[in-house]
Amino acid sequence: VFRKEFGKYPLEGLAHKETIKNAYDNAVLYNDFIITEIIQAFKRLNRGATYVFVTSDHGEEFGEAGRYGHDNLAIEAADVPLLCYAVNGDRQFIDRLRALKRPTHYELGLLLAELMGYKITNPNQEPGYYYINGVASYGESGYLKFKKTAEGEVTDVKVFH
């Protein structure tokens, strides 16, 4: 069912790029609504420590370096928002989460596993390096290997196909 509040930005009679941007913005409105509903449900339950994490599997490019969409093997495609809502959350965990600079999904996975009482040891992990997979299934679009500064700036990017 179409709801007017999720169609704030027009989609007809515009150039293709403007239509894509507006469709994305409308989708964000809907996404924000769903996230709010989920958080409200957890607030009502309030059963001990509860965490709601919202992120995306990839970013969306809108003309950066002439790229559009989300199928580019580029650092920018991995820049995604991260929202964590905690009810009775562990302050130490929240502080560690906030301290992450430009976190990758792998980093988040390690931290979440630890929160649940598990320690993941990856024998292939190279100290100081981070990895981002391309968006195609089964690794078909390759991956990026890179380092980060203490401020989260990306350096030493290597592309593997």
Side-chain angles (χ1 to χ4, degrees), residues 20-95:
I20 290 170
K21 289 177 185 178
N22 285 358
Y24 182 84
D25 288 342
N26 286 336
V28 169
L29 291 172
Y30 178 70
N31 189 60
D32 288 349
F33 168 77
I34 295 298
I35 292 168
T36 300
E37 291 293 306
I38 291 168
I39 288 173
Q40 294 303 324
F42 277 106
K43 275 184 174 180
R44 287 188 297 272
L45 290 174
N46 198 9
R47 297 180 181 161
T50 303
Y51 301 87
V52 178
F53 293 91
V54 180
T55 190
S56 177
D57 57 340
H58 55 73
E60 198 73 24
E61 294 179 286
F62 292 103
E64 298 86 355
R67 297 185 301 251
Y68 289 85
H70 58 261
D71 58 352
N72 301 300
L73 188 55
I75 291 289
E76 295 79 11
D79 285 336
V80 295
L82 170 63
L83 171 76
C84 173
Y85 179 82
V87 177
N88 301 318
D90 177 84
R91 171 56 49 199
Q92 194 173 28
F93 171 78
I94 298 297
D95 289 344

Side-chain angles (χ1 to χ4, degrees), residues 1 3 12 15 19 33 37 48 61 70 85-86 92 107 110 128 134 151 156:
V1 174
R3 294 173 62 165
E12 296 182 20
T19 302
F33 168 77
E37 291 293 306
E61 294 179 286
H70 58 261
Y85 179 82
Q92 194 173 28
E107 289 173 274
L110 293 175
E151 295 78 29
D156 193 25

